[in-house]
Amino acid sequence: MATANEDSPVVLVSGANRGIGAAIVRELKAHGYRLSLGARNVESLESEHGPADDMTHYARFDAFDPASAEAWVAEAAAKFGRIDGLVNNAGLGEHVHLMDDNEEALDRLWAVNVKAPLRMTRLCMPHLEATGRGRIVNIVSLSGKRVRNPLVGYNMTKFATMGLTHTTRHVGWDKGVRATAICPSFVRTEMSAYTSKVTPDEMIQPETLAELVRTAIELPNNAAMAEMLVNCRLEDTL
């Protein structure tokens, strides 16, 4: 296991208390990163990852509360003096079908899956630009690349997050910021528990996805990957 020190890169991870987010934390921590972790319940972070220390910072992050994002980024920058990477992992998989009349659920999907990562990107961008090799990784979905289900709310917001990722690449490129969208099929987490299309063992494992996140962060500026499409079952065009 690598040892973190005061020169180690600093990465913010949202939704870090379980599932993919928790796996990303374990992967980055094992390779010496300093981490600032956000979740709605800070106690859940402590329960999952142990007490905060000199190399790990915990913050309340609620995608519905813009002030929590502002406070989180400010606290992380103050603690570590820099921000090298942002992983927008927190997401919502609420089911809204095409003909559902459920504006409240649709608003929640847009708030969590699109507006929150956009807000975090805006807040972190000055810090990322200052490093000359800032990294943003957005955990999206293959549902942001193609449609294979009737969940219009989820599909629309994931396509929008792809638009956010590519716009971020365009805006940040000249200052060394690289943005990557990681688009997995079914991942073995609570969000995929509803499906019977593949078994849990056939799904992408969170630890595998976490390795890809680290790869996206560590690739040099001249070998950036805009998208990583990750399949656990055959798809003709992906």
Side-chain angles (χ1 to χ4, degrees), residues 10-15 20-21 24 28 33 72 83-91 113 116-118 120-121 124-125 128 133-141 158 161-162 164-166 168-169 177-184 208-219 224-230:
V10 175
V11 177
L12 276 63
V13 183
S14 68
I20 295 170
I24 292 169
L28 295 181
Y33 285 81
W72 177 18
I83 295 174
D84 299 89
L86 166 66
V87 181
N88 284 311
N89 166 72
N113 292 348
L118 170 57
M120 289 297 298
T121 297
C124 288
M125 186 64 86
L128 299 173
R133 63 173 322 276
R135 296 291 182 266
I136 296 178
V137 179
N138 293 325
I139 305 300
V140 189
S141 170
K158 290 303 183 178
T161 311
M162 290 298 293
L164 167 62
T165 305
H166 285 287
T168 303
R169 291 181 64 245
V177 178
R178 302 292 181 260
T180 301
I182 297 186
C183 303
T208 304
L209 213 61
E211 292 180 16
L212 293 178
V213 170
R214 184 169 62 83
T215 297
I217 292 171
E218 294 181 352
L219 285 171
M225 294 188 69
E227 302 177 3
M228 294 185 182
L229 311 184
V230 191

Short mmCIF file of all heavy atoms in Angstrom, two decimals, residues 10-15 20-21 24 28 33 72 83-91 113 116-118 120-121 124-125 128 133-141 158 161-162 164-166 168-169 177-184 208-219 224-230:
data_model
loop_
_atom_site.label_atom_id
_atom_site.label_comp_id
_atom_site.label_asym_id
_atom_site.label_seq_id
_atom_site.Cartn_x
_atom_site.Cartn_y
_atom_site.Cartn_z
N VAL A 10 -4.73 15.50 -4.22
CA VAL A 10 -5.96 15.60 -3.43
C VAL A 10 -7.15 15.41 -4.37
O VAL A 10 -7.29 16.13 -5.36
CB VAL A 10 -6.06 16.97 -2.73
CG1 VAL A 10 -7.40 17.11 -2.01
CG2 VAL A 10 -4.90 17.17 -1.78
N VAL A 11 -8.00 14.46 -4.03
CA VAL A 11 -9.16 14.15 -4.87
C VAL A 11 -10.42 14.20 -4.02
O VAL A 11 -10.47 13.65 -2.92
CB VAL A 11 -9.03 12.76 -5.53
CG1 VAL A 11 -10.27 12.43 -6.34
CG2 VAL A 11 -7.79 12.71 -6.42
N LEU A 12 -11.45 14.87 -4.52
CA LEU A 12 -12.77 14.90 -3.90
C LEU A 12 -13.64 13.81 -4.54
O LEU A 12 -13.64 13.66 -5.77
CB LEU A 12 -13.45 16.25 -4.09
CG LEU A 12 -13.11 17.36 -3.09
CD1 LEU A 12 -11.64 17.73 -3.17
CD2 LEU A 12 -13.97 18.59 -3.33
N VAL A 13 -14.37 13.07 -3.71
CA VAL A 13 -15.25 12.01 -4.19
C VAL A 13 -16.62 12.19 -3.56
O VAL A 13 -16.75 12.18 -2.33
CB VAL A 13 -14.71 10.61 -3.84
CG1 VAL A 13 -15.61 9.53 -4.43
CG2 VAL A 13 -13.26 10.43 -4.32
N SER A 14 -17.64 12.34 -4.38
CA SER A 14 -19.00 12.46 -3.84
C SER A 14 -19.65 11.08 -3.76
O SER A 14 -19.28 10.15 -4.48
CB SER A 14 -19.85 13.38 -4.73
OG SER A 14 -20.10 12.80 -6.00
N GLY A 15 -20.63 10.96 -2.88
CA GLY A 15 -21.29 9.67 -2.69
C GLY A 15 -20.30 8.60 -2.29
O GLY A 15 -20.36 7.46 -2.77
N ILE A 20 -20.09 2.16 -5.48
CA ILE A 20 -18.97 2.55 -6.33
C ILE A 20 -18.10 3.57 -5.61
O ILE A 20 -16.86 3.49 -5.65
CB ILE A 20 -19.49 3.12 -7.66
CG1 ILE A 20 -20.22 2.04 -8.46
CG2 ILE A 20 -18.34 3.70 -8.48
CD1 ILE A 20 -20.96 2.57 -9.68
N GLY A 21 -18.72 4.54 -4.95
CA GLY A 21 -17.95 5.59 -4.28
C GLY A 21 -17.02 5.04 -3.22
O GLY A 21 -15.85 5.44 -3.13
N ILE A 24 -14.08 3.38 -4.87
CA ILE A 24 -13.13 4.37 -5.38
C ILE A 24 -12.24 4.87 -4.25
O ILE A 24 -11.03 5.03 -4.41
CB ILE A 24 -13.89 5.53 -6.04
CG1 ILE A 24 -14.58 5.05 -7.32
CG2 ILE A 24 -12.94 6.70 -6.36
CD1 ILE A 24 -15.56 6.05 -7.90
N LEU A 28 -8.14 4.57 -4.25
CA LEU A 28 -7.27 5.74 -4.22
C LEU A 28 -6.45 5.81 -2.94
O LEU A 28 -5.27 6.16 -2.95
CB LEU A 28 -8.11 7.01 -4.39
CG LEU A 28 -8.81 7.18 -5.74
CD1 LEU A 28 -9.58 8.50 -5.78
CD2 LEU A 28 -7.83 7.10 -6.91
N TYR A 33 -3.34 8.53 -2.29
CA TYR A 33 -4.02 9.80 -2.50
C TYR A 33 -4.52 10.38 -1.18
O TYR A 33 -4.91 9.64 -0.26
CB TYR A 33 -5.21 9.62 -3.44
CG TYR A 33 -4.82 9.44 -4.89
CD1 TYR A 33 -4.40 8.21 -5.36
CD2 TYR A 33 -4.87 10.51 -5.77
CE1 TYR A 33 -4.04 8.03 -6.68
CE2 TYR A 33 -4.52 10.35 -7.10
CZ TYR A 33 -4.10 9.11 -7.55
OH TYR A 33 -3.74 8.94 -8.87
N TRP A 72 -18.11 22.36 1.24
CA TRP A 72 -17.22 21.21 1.09
C TRP A 72 -15.94 21.59 0.34
O TRP A 72 -14.84 21.32 0.81
CB TRP A 72 -17.96 20.10 0.34
CG TRP A 72 -17.13 18.87 0.05
CD1 TRP A 72 -15.96 18.50 0.64
CD2 TRP A 72 -17.43 17.87 -0.92
NE1 TRP A 72 -15.50 17.32 0.11
CE2 TRP A 72 -16.39 16.91 -0.85
CE3 TRP A 72 -18.47 17.68 -1.82
CZ2 TRP A 72 -16.36 15.78 -1.68
CZ3 TRP A 72 -18.46 16.56 -2.63
CH2 TRP A 72 -17.41 15.62 -2.56
N ILE A 83 -6.53 21.21 -4.81
CA ILE A 83 -7.45 20.18 -5.26
C ILE A 83 -6.97 19.73 -6.63
O ILE A 83 -6.86 20.53 -7.55
CB ILE A 83 -8.91 20.68 -5.33
CG1 ILE A 83 -9.43 21.04 -3.94
CG2 ILE A 83 -9.81 19.61 -5.97
CD1 ILE A 83 -10.81 21.69 -3.95
N ASP A 84 -6.66 18.45 -6.74
CA ASP A 84 -6.13 17.90 -7.99
C ASP A 84 -7.18 17.15 -8.81
O ASP A 84 -7.01 17.01 -10.02
CB ASP A 84 -4.98 16.94 -7.69
CG ASP A 84 -3.84 17.63 -6.97
OD1 ASP A 84 -3.86 17.67 -5.72
OD2 ASP A 84 -2.93 18.13 -7.66
N GLY A 85 -8.20 16.64 -8.15
CA GLY A 85 -9.18 15.84 -8.88
C GLY A 85 -10.55 15.88 -8.23
O GLY A 85 -10.69 16.13 -7.03
N LEU A 86 -11.55 15.63 -9.05
CA LEU A 86 -12.93 15.56 -8.60
C LEU A 86 -13.57 14.35 -9.24
O LEU A 86 -13.50 14.17 -10.47
CB LEU A 86 -13.69 16.83 -9.02
CG LEU A 86 -15.22 16.78 -8.92
CD1 LEU A 86 -15.68 16.66 -7.46
CD2 LEU A 86 -15.83 18.02 -9.58
N VAL A 87 -14.19 13.50 -8.42
CA VAL A 87 -14.96 12.37 -8.92
C VAL A 87 -16.42 12.61 -8.57
O VAL A 87 -16.82 12.54 -7.40
CB VAL A 87 -14.48 11.03 -8.32
CG1 VAL A 87 -15.31 9.88 -8.89
CG2 VAL A 87 -13.00 10.82 -8.61
N ASN A 88 -17.21 12.93 -9.58
CA ASN A 88 -18.66 13.11 -9.40
C ASN A 88 -19.31 11.74 -9.50
O ASN A 88 -19.66 11.27 -10.59
CB ASN A 88 -19.22 14.06 -10.47
CG ASN A 88 -18.90 15.50 -10.19
OD1 ASN A 88 -19.12 15.99 -9.09
ND2 ASN A 88 -18.39 16.20 -11.19
N ASN A 89 -19.47 11.12 -8.36
CA ASN A 89 -20.00 9.76 -8.31
C ASN A 89 -21.44 9.71 -7.82
O ASN A 89 -22.20 8.82 -8.24
CB ASN A 89 -19.12 8.89 -7.40
CG ASN A 89 -19.80 7.58 -7.03
OD1 ASN A 89 -19.92 6.68 -7.86
ND2 ASN A 89 -20.26 7.46 -5.79
N ALA A 90 -21.85 10.62 -6.95
CA ALA A 90 -23.20 10.57 -6.40
C ALA A 90 -24.23 10.61 -7.51
O ALA A 90 -24.15 11.44 -8.43
CB ALA A 90 -23.42 11.73 -5.44
N GLY A 91 -25.20 9.72 -7.45
CA GLY A 91 -26.22 9.67 -8.49
C GLY A 91 -27.53 9.13 -7.95
O GLY A 91 -27.57 8.52 -6.87
N ASN A 113 -28.29 14.21 -10.66
CA ASN A 113 -27.47 13.65 -11.73
C ASN A 113 -26.83 14.70 -12.63
O ASN A 113 -25.86 14.39 -13.33
CB ASN A 113 -28.30 12.70 -12.59
CG ASN A 113 -28.71 11.44 -11.85
OD1 ASN A 113 -28.19 11.16 -10.77
ND2 ASN A 113 -29.64 10.70 -12.40
N ALA A 116 -25.96 18.95 -9.64
CA ALA A 116 -24.95 18.81 -8.58
C ALA A 116 -23.55 18.62 -9.15
O ALA A 116 -22.61 19.30 -8.72
CB ALA A 116 -25.32 17.67 -7.63
N PRO A 117 -23.33 17.71 -10.13
CA PRO A 117 -21.98 17.61 -10.69
C PRO A 117 -21.54 18.87 -11.44
O PRO A 117 -20.35 19.21 -11.42
CB PRO A 117 -22.05 16.39 -11.62
CG PRO A 117 -23.48 16.10 -11.79
CD PRO A 117 -24.18 16.61 -10.58
N LEU A 118 -22.48 19.57 -12.07
CA LEU A 118 -22.13 20.84 -12.69
C LEU A 118 -21.67 21.84 -11.64
O LEU A 118 -20.65 22.53 -11.82
CB LEU A 118 -23.34 21.40 -13.45
CG LEU A 118 -23.23 22.85 -13.96
CD1 LEU A 118 -22.03 23.02 -14.88
CD2 LEU A 118 -24.51 23.26 -14.66
N MET A 120 -20.37 21.20 -8.67
CA MET A 120 -19.06 20.79 -8.15
C MET A 120 -17.96 21.10 -9.16
O MET A 120 -16.85 21.50 -8.77
CB MET A 120 -19.08 19.30 -7.80
CG MET A 120 -19.91 18.95 -6.57
SD MET A 120 -19.28 19.71 -5.04
CE MET A 120 -17.65 18.96 -4.95
N THR A 121 -18.24 20.92 -10.42
CA THR A 121 -17.25 21.23 -11.46
C THR A 121 -16.90 22.71 -11.43
O THR A 121 -15.72 23.09 -11.47
CB THR A 121 -17.80 20.83 -12.84
OG1 THR A 121 -18.00 19.41 -12.88
CG2 THR A 121 -16.85 21.25 -13.96
N CYS A 124 -14.77 23.52 -8.32
CA CYS A 124 -13.42 22.95 -8.28
C CYS A 124 -12.53 23.44 -9.42
O CYS A 124 -11.30 23.36 -9.32
CB CYS A 124 -13.50 21.42 -8.35
SG CYS A 124 -14.12 20.64 -6.83
N MET A 125 -13.13 23.93 -10.49
CA MET A 125 -12.34 24.24 -11.69
C MET A 125 -11.16 25.18 -11.44
O MET A 125 -10.05 24.91 -11.92
CB MET A 125 -13.25 24.80 -12.78
CG MET A 125 -12.54 25.01 -14.11
SD MET A 125 -11.97 23.45 -14.86
CE MET A 125 -13.45 22.97 -15.73
N LEU A 128 -8.42 23.10 -9.95
CA LEU A 128 -7.90 22.11 -10.90
C LEU A 128 -7.02 22.77 -11.95
O LEU A 128 -5.97 22.23 -12.32
CB LEU A 128 -9.07 21.37 -11.56
CG LEU A 128 -9.99 20.60 -10.62
CD1 LEU A 128 -11.19 20.06 -11.39
CD2 LEU A 128 -9.25 19.46 -9.95
N ARG A 133 -2.76 19.96 -14.25
CA ARG A 133 -3.17 18.62 -14.67
C ARG A 133 -4.36 18.15 -13.82
O ARG A 133 -4.39 17.03 -13.30
CB ARG A 133 -2.01 17.62 -14.62
CG ARG A 133 -1.42 17.36 -13.24
CD ARG A 133 -0.40 16.22 -13.28
NE ARG A 133 -0.73 15.13 -14.15
CZ ARG A 133 -1.53 14.11 -13.83
NH1 ARG A 133 -2.11 14.05 -12.64
NH2 ARG A 133 -1.75 13.14 -14.69
N GLY A 134 -5.33 19.03 -13.69
CA GLY A 134 -6.53 18.68 -12.94
C GLY A 134 -7.33 17.59 -13.64
O GLY A 134 -7.30 17.44 -14.87
N ARG A 135 -8.06 16.83 -12.84
CA ARG A 135 -8.84 15.71 -13.39
C ARG A 135 -10.27 15.74 -12.85
O ARG A 135 -10.48 15.93 -11.64
CB ARG A 135 -8.20 14.37 -13.02
CG ARG A 135 -6.81 14.14 -13.62
CD ARG A 135 -6.90 13.96 -15.13
NE ARG A 135 -5.60 13.68 -15.74
CZ ARG A 135 -4.81 14.62 -16.25
NH1 ARG A 135 -5.18 15.91 -16.21
NH2 ARG A 135 -3.66 14.29 -16.80
N ILE A 136 -11.22 15.53 -13.75
CA ILE A 136 -12.61 15.34 -13.36
C ILE A 136 -13.09 14.03 -13.96
O ILE A 136 -12.94 13.79 -15.17
CB ILE A 136 -13.51 16.49 -13.85
CG1 ILE A 136 -13.11 17.80 -13.18
CG2 ILE A 136 -14.99 16.17 -13.56
CD1 ILE A 136 -13.91 19.00 -13.65
N VAL A 137 -13.61 13.16 -13.12
CA VAL A 137 -14.18 11.90 -13.58
C VAL A 137 -15.65 11.90 -13.20
O VAL A 137 -16.00 12.02 -12.02
CB VAL A 137 -13.46 10.68 -12.95
CG1 VAL A 137 -14.11 9.39 -13.42
CG2 VAL A 137 -11.98 10.70 -13.29
N ASN A 138 -16.51 11.79 -14.20
CA ASN A 138 -17.94 11.71 -13.97
C ASN A 138 -18.39 10.26 -14.15
O ASN A 138 -18.18 9.66 -15.22
CB ASN A 138 -18.70 12.61 -14.95
CG ASN A 138 -18.45 14.08 -14.69
OD1 ASN A 138 -18.29 14.50 -13.55
ND2 ASN A 138 -18.42 14.88 -15.75
N ILE A 139 -18.97 9.70 -13.10
CA ILE A 139 -19.54 8.35 -13.19
C ILE A 139 -20.90 8.50 -13.85
O ILE A 139 -21.85 9.00 -13.24
CB ILE A 139 -19.65 7.67 -11.83
CG1 ILE A 139 -18.28 7.67 -11.12
CG2 ILE A 139 -20.18 6.25 -11.99
CD1 ILE A 139 -17.19 6.95 -11.86
N VAL A 140 -20.99 8.10 -15.09
CA VAL A 140 -22.22 8.30 -15.86
C VAL A 140 -22.95 6.96 -15.94
O VAL A 140 -23.35 6.41 -14.93
CB VAL A 140 -21.90 8.89 -17.25
CG1 VAL A 140 -23.18 9.31 -17.98
CG2 VAL A 140 -20.99 10.12 -17.11
N SER A 141 -23.08 6.39 -17.12
CA SER A 141 -23.79 5.14 -17.33
C SER A 141 -23.83 4.90 -18.83
O SER A 141 -23.78 5.85 -19.62
CB SER A 141 -25.22 5.22 -16.79
OG SER A 141 -25.99 4.10 -17.19
N LYS A 158 -28.61 11.24 -17.73
CA LYS A 158 -27.29 10.69 -18.01
C LYS A 158 -26.75 11.18 -19.35
O LYS A 158 -25.55 11.42 -19.49
CB LYS A 158 -27.32 9.16 -17.94
CG LYS A 158 -27.50 8.62 -16.52
CD LYS A 158 -26.39 9.13 -15.59
CE LYS A 158 -26.50 8.56 -14.19
NZ LYS A 158 -25.41 9.02 -13.31
N THR A 161 -25.36 14.50 -18.50
CA THR A 161 -24.07 14.44 -17.83
C THR A 161 -22.94 14.19 -18.83
O THR A 161 -21.81 14.65 -18.62
CB THR A 161 -24.07 13.35 -16.74
OG1 THR A 161 -25.24 13.50 -15.92
CG2 THR A 161 -22.85 13.48 -15.85
N MET A 162 -23.24 13.47 -19.89
CA MET A 162 -22.26 13.33 -20.96
C MET A 162 -21.97 14.70 -21.58
O MET A 162 -20.80 15.03 -21.87
CB MET A 162 -22.76 12.36 -22.03
CG MET A 162 -22.82 10.92 -21.58
SD MET A 162 -21.20 10.25 -21.12
CE MET A 162 -20.39 10.27 -22.72
N LEU A 164 -22.20 17.56 -20.07
CA LEU A 164 -21.38 18.25 -19.08
C LEU A 164 -19.92 17.84 -19.21
O LEU A 164 -19.02 18.68 -19.19
CB LEU A 164 -21.90 17.95 -17.67
CG LEU A 164 -20.99 18.33 -16.51
CD1 LEU A 164 -20.75 19.84 -16.48
CD2 LEU A 164 -21.59 17.86 -15.18
N THR A 165 -19.67 16.54 -19.33
CA THR A 165 -18.29 16.06 -19.40
C THR A 165 -17.56 16.63 -20.61
O THR A 165 -16.43 17.12 -20.50
CB THR A 165 -18.28 14.52 -19.47
OG1 THR A 165 -19.01 13.99 -18.36
CG2 THR A 165 -16.85 13.99 -19.42
N HIS A 166 -18.19 16.60 -21.76
CA HIS A 166 -17.51 17.07 -22.96
C HIS A 166 -17.36 18.59 -22.97
O HIS A 166 -16.36 19.12 -23.49
CB HIS A 166 -18.25 16.56 -24.20
CG HIS A 166 -18.01 15.11 -24.45
ND1 HIS A 166 -16.82 14.62 -24.93
CD2 HIS A 166 -18.81 14.02 -24.26
CE1 HIS A 166 -16.89 13.30 -25.03
NE2 HIS A 166 -18.09 12.91 -24.63
N THR A 168 -16.87 20.32 -20.25
CA THR A 168 -15.76 20.50 -19.30
C THR A 168 -14.43 20.25 -19.98
O THR A 168 -13.45 21.01 -19.78
CB THR A 168 -15.93 19.56 -18.10
OG1 THR A 168 -17.19 19.79 -17.48
CG2 THR A 168 -14.83 19.78 -17.08
N ARG A 169 -14.35 19.22 -20.80
CA ARG A 169 -13.12 18.95 -21.56
C ARG A 169 -12.76 20.15 -22.42
O ARG A 169 -11.60 20.56 -22.49
CB ARG A 169 -13.30 17.73 -22.45
CG ARG A 169 -13.41 16.40 -21.72
CD ARG A 169 -13.57 15.25 -22.70
NE ARG A 169 -12.38 15.11 -23.54
CZ ARG A 169 -12.36 15.29 -24.85
NH1 ARG A 169 -13.45 15.67 -25.51
NH2 ARG A 169 -11.23 15.12 -25.52
N VAL A 177 -6.80 20.68 -17.63
CA VAL A 177 -7.87 19.91 -16.99
C VAL A 177 -8.40 18.89 -17.99
O VAL A 177 -8.74 19.23 -19.12
CB VAL A 177 -9.02 20.81 -16.51
CG1 VAL A 177 -10.14 19.97 -15.89
CG2 VAL A 177 -8.49 21.82 -15.49
N ARG A 178 -8.47 17.64 -17.56
CA ARG A 178 -8.99 16.57 -18.40
C ARG A 178 -10.22 15.97 -17.72
O ARG A 178 -10.19 15.67 -16.52
CB ARG A 178 -7.93 15.48 -18.62
CG ARG A 178 -6.64 16.01 -19.26
CD ARG A 178 -6.87 16.44 -20.70
NE ARG A 178 -5.65 16.92 -21.33
CZ ARG A 178 -5.34 18.20 -21.47
NH1 ARG A 178 -6.15 19.15 -20.98
NH2 ARG A 178 -4.23 18.55 -22.08
N ALA A 179 -11.28 15.80 -18.48
CA ALA A 179 -12.53 15.24 -17.95
C ALA A 179 -12.84 13.93 -18.66
O ALA A 179 -12.70 13.83 -19.89
CB ALA A 179 -13.68 16.23 -18.14
N THR A 180 -13.26 12.95 -17.88
CA THR A 180 -13.56 11.62 -18.42
C THR A 180 -14.93 11.18 -17.91
O THR A 180 -15.23 11.31 -16.73
CB THR A 180 -12.51 10.59 -17.96
OG1 THR A 180 -11.22 11.00 -18.41
CG2 THR A 180 -12.82 9.21 -18.50
N ALA A 181 -15.73 10.65 -18.83
CA ALA A 181 -17.00 10.03 -18.46
C ALA A 181 -16.80 8.52 -18.43
O ALA A 181 -16.39 7.93 -19.43
CB ALA A 181 -18.08 10.39 -19.45
N ILE A 182 -17.05 7.91 -17.29
CA ILE A 182 -17.01 6.45 -17.19
C ILE A 182 -18.44 5.95 -17.23
O ILE A 182 -19.28 6.34 -16.41
CB ILE A 182 -16.27 6.00 -15.92
CG1 ILE A 182 -14.81 6.47 -15.97
CG2 ILE A 182 -16.36 4.48 -15.77
CD1 ILE A 182 -13.95 5.98 -14.85
N CYS A 183 -18.71 5.11 -18.22
CA CYS A 183 -20.08 4.70 -18.52
C CYS A 183 -20.23 3.19 -18.38
O CYS A 183 -20.02 2.45 -19.35
CB CYS A 183 -20.46 5.13 -19.94
SG CYS A 183 -20.27 6.89 -20.26
N PRO A 184 -20.58 2.72 -17.20
CA PRO A 184 -20.72 1.27 -17.01
C PRO A 184 -22.13 0.79 -17.31
O PRO A 184 -23.11 1.54 -17.23
CB PRO A 184 -20.40 1.10 -15.52
CG PRO A 184 -20.92 2.38 -14.90
CD PRO A 184 -20.67 3.46 -15.93
N THR A 208 -13.53 -3.07 -9.81
CA THR A 208 -13.03 -2.93 -11.18
C THR A 208 -13.25 -1.51 -11.68
O THR A 208 -12.36 -0.90 -12.30
CB THR A 208 -13.73 -3.93 -12.11
OG1 THR A 208 -13.57 -5.25 -11.60
CG2 THR A 208 -13.17 -3.84 -13.52
N LEU A 209 -14.42 -0.98 -11.42
CA LEU A 209 -14.71 0.39 -11.85
C LEU A 209 -13.79 1.38 -11.15
O LEU A 209 -13.34 2.36 -11.75
CB LEU A 209 -16.18 0.72 -11.56
CG LEU A 209 -16.87 1.66 -12.55
CD1 LEU A 209 -16.88 1.06 -13.94
CD2 LEU A 209 -18.27 1.97 -12.10
N ALA A 210 -13.49 1.12 -9.89
CA ALA A 210 -12.59 2.01 -9.14
C ALA A 210 -11.20 2.03 -9.77
O ALA A 210 -10.55 3.08 -9.81
CB ALA A 210 -12.50 1.55 -7.69
N GLU A 211 -10.73 0.90 -10.26
CA GLU A 211 -9.43 0.87 -10.94
C GLU A 211 -9.45 1.75 -12.19
O GLU A 211 -8.47 2.42 -12.51
CB GLU A 211 -9.07 -0.56 -11.30
CG GLU A 211 -8.77 -1.45 -10.10
CD GLU A 211 -8.41 -2.87 -10.51
OE1 GLU A 211 -8.09 -3.07 -11.72
OE2 GLU A 211 -8.45 -3.77 -9.67
N LEU A 212 -10.57 1.75 -12.90
CA LEU A 212 -10.68 2.58 -14.10
C LEU A 212 -10.68 4.07 -13.74
O LEU A 212 -10.14 4.89 -14.48
CB LEU A 212 -11.94 2.21 -14.88
CG LEU A 212 -11.96 0.81 -15.49
CD1 LEU A 212 -13.29 0.56 -16.19
CD2 LEU A 212 -10.80 0.64 -16.48
N VAL A 213 -11.30 4.41 -12.63
CA VAL A 213 -11.28 5.80 -12.16
C VAL A 213 -9.84 6.24 -11.91
O VAL A 213 -9.41 7.32 -12.34
CB VAL A 213 -12.13 5.97 -10.89
CG1 VAL A 213 -11.91 7.35 -10.27
CG2 VAL A 213 -13.61 5.76 -11.21
N ARG A 214 -9.09 5.40 -11.23
CA ARG A 214 -7.68 5.76 -10.96
C ARG A 214 -6.90 5.87 -12.26
O ARG A 214 -6.05 6.76 -12.42
CB ARG A 214 -7.03 4.73 -10.02
CG ARG A 214 -5.60 5.11 -9.65
CD ARG A 214 -5.06 4.24 -8.53
NE ARG A 214 -4.99 2.84 -8.88
CZ ARG A 214 -3.98 2.28 -9.57
NH1 ARG A 214 -2.96 3.03 -9.97
NH2 ARG A 214 -4.00 0.99 -9.85
N THR A 215 -7.17 4.99 -13.21
CA THR A 215 -6.50 5.07 -14.51
C THR A 215 -6.79 6.41 -15.18
O THR A 215 -5.87 7.07 -15.70
CB THR A 215 -6.97 3.93 -15.42
OG1 THR A 215 -6.58 2.68 -14.86
CG2 THR A 215 -6.38 4.05 -16.82
N ALA A 216 -8.04 6.83 -15.17
CA ALA A 216 -8.40 8.11 -15.79
C ALA A 216 -7.69 9.27 -15.12
O ALA A 216 -7.26 10.22 -15.78
CB ALA A 216 -9.92 8.30 -15.72
N ILE A 217 -7.54 9.20 -13.81
CA ILE A 217 -6.86 10.26 -13.07
C ILE A 217 -5.37 10.30 -13.39
O ILE A 217 -4.77 11.37 -13.51
CB ILE A 217 -7.08 10.07 -11.55
CG1 ILE A 217 -8.55 10.33 -11.20
CG2 ILE A 217 -6.17 10.99 -10.74
CD1 ILE A 217 -8.92 9.97 -9.77
N GLU A 218 -4.77 9.14 -13.56
CA GLU A 218 -3.32 9.05 -13.66
C GLU A 218 -2.78 9.15 -15.10
O GLU A 218 -1.58 9.33 -15.29
CB GLU A 218 -2.83 7.76 -13.01
CG GLU A 218 -3.06 7.76 -11.50
CD GLU A 218 -2.57 6.50 -10.81
OE1 GLU A 218 -2.18 5.54 -11.52
OE2 GLU A 218 -2.60 6.47 -9.56
N LEU A 219 -3.64 9.04 -16.10
CA LEU A 219 -3.16 9.19 -17.47
C LEU A 219 -2.59 10.59 -17.67
O LEU A 219 -3.11 11.56 -17.13
CB LEU A 219 -4.31 8.96 -18.46
CG LEU A 219 -4.75 7.51 -18.67
CD1 LEU A 219 -6.02 7.46 -19.50
CD2 LEU A 219 -3.64 6.70 -19.36
N ALA A 224 -5.31 11.57 -22.69
CA ALA A 224 -6.57 11.58 -21.94
C ALA A 224 -7.64 10.76 -22.65
O ALA A 224 -7.68 10.70 -23.88
CB ALA A 224 -7.06 13.02 -21.76
N MET A 225 -8.50 10.14 -21.87
CA MET A 225 -9.64 9.40 -22.41
C MET A 225 -10.92 10.17 -22.11
O MET A 225 -11.24 10.41 -20.95
CB MET A 225 -9.70 8.00 -21.82
CG MET A 225 -8.54 7.11 -22.21
SD MET A 225 -8.77 5.39 -21.69
CE MET A 225 -10.12 4.89 -22.77
N ALA A 226 -11.64 10.54 -23.14
CA ALA A 226 -12.87 11.29 -22.96
C ALA A 226 -13.98 10.41 -22.39
O ALA A 226 -14.78 10.86 -21.57
CB ALA A 226 -13.32 11.89 -24.29
N GLU A 227 -14.03 9.16 -22.83
CA GLU A 227 -15.08 8.23 -22.40
C GLU A 227 -14.48 6.86 -22.18
O GLU A 227 -13.63 6.42 -22.94
CB GLU A 227 -16.19 8.14 -23.44
CG GLU A 227 -16.87 9.45 -23.78
CD GLU A 227 -17.92 9.30 -24.88
OE1 GLU A 227 -18.15 8.15 -25.34
OE2 GLU A 227 -18.50 10.33 -25.29
N MET A 228 -14.96 6.19 -21.14
CA MET A 228 -14.67 4.77 -20.93
C MET A 228 -16.00 4.04 -20.87
O MET A 228 -16.79 4.26 -19.95
CB MET A 228 -13.89 4.55 -19.63
CG MET A 228 -12.50 5.14 -19.59
SD MET A 228 -11.66 4.68 -18.05
CE MET A 228 -10.09 5.54 -18.24
N LEU A 229 -16.28 3.23 -21.88
CA LEU A 229 -17.52 2.46 -21.93
C LEU A 229 -17.24 1.05 -21.43
O LEU A 229 -16.34 0.38 -21.94
CB LEU A 229 -18.06 2.42 -23.36
CG LEU A 229 -18.12 3.77 -24.09
CD1 LEU A 229 -18.77 3.60 -25.45
CD2 LEU A 229 -18.86 4.81 -23.26
N VAL A 230 -17.99 0.63 -20.42
CA VAL A 230 -17.67 -0.61 -19.72
C VAL A 230 -18.86 -1.56 -19.81
O VAL A 230 -19.94 -1.28 -19.28
CB VAL A 230 -17.33 -0.33 -18.23
CG1 VAL A 230 -16.75 -1.59 -17.59
CG2 VAL A 230 -16.35 0.83 -18.11
#
